[in-house]
Amino acid sequence: RSAGAYRGMKMDAYEGAHRMPFVVRWPGKVRAGATSSQLLCFTDMLATFADIIRAPLPKAITQDSYSMLPVLTGQKKAGRT
């Protein structure tokens, strides 16, 4: 039961499909043992990876993607609510 006590799995509208852990290991960038309650969506990976490599992205393809780099590096909370 990867969703733990929550009902549902991926592709369900239930809680268990939306509360999945995201684990990062990036020595020298992400503090070991750090935790965050920041909401994250899979679509945010596009903007995050582009931000990491400093690649510009057209607004038209990133309107639903927020960079989580500031969250990963402990600078601030991201734009997703």
Side-chain angles (χ1 to χ4, degrees):
R1 300 209 54 209
S2 63
Y6 297 106
R7 178 180 177 195
M9 299 301 288
K10 285 284 189 191
M11 300 183 67
D12 282 339
Y14 299 112
E15 234 5 59
H18 300 284
R19 293 180 182 241
M20 302 305 256
F22 181 73
V23 180
V24 174
R25 181 178 187 274
W26 191 7
K29 298 288 184 179
V30 176
R31 186 174 50 87
T35 61
S36 173
S37 60
Q38 172 65 52
L39 181 65
L40 175 86
C41 181
F42 186 71
T43 59
D44 296 331
M45 295 297 92
L46 175 65
T48 303
F49 294 146
D51 201 9
I52 289 170
I53 64 169
R54 296 186 177 107
L57 291 173
K59 279 284 190 202
I61 65 168
T62 59
Q63 61 188 356
D64 293 329
S65 186
Y66 297 90
S67 175
M68 294 295 148
L69 185 58
V71 176
L72 294 175
T73 56
Q75 295 173 17
K76 64 177 183 171
K77 198 167 181 164
R80 182 168 296 285
T81 57

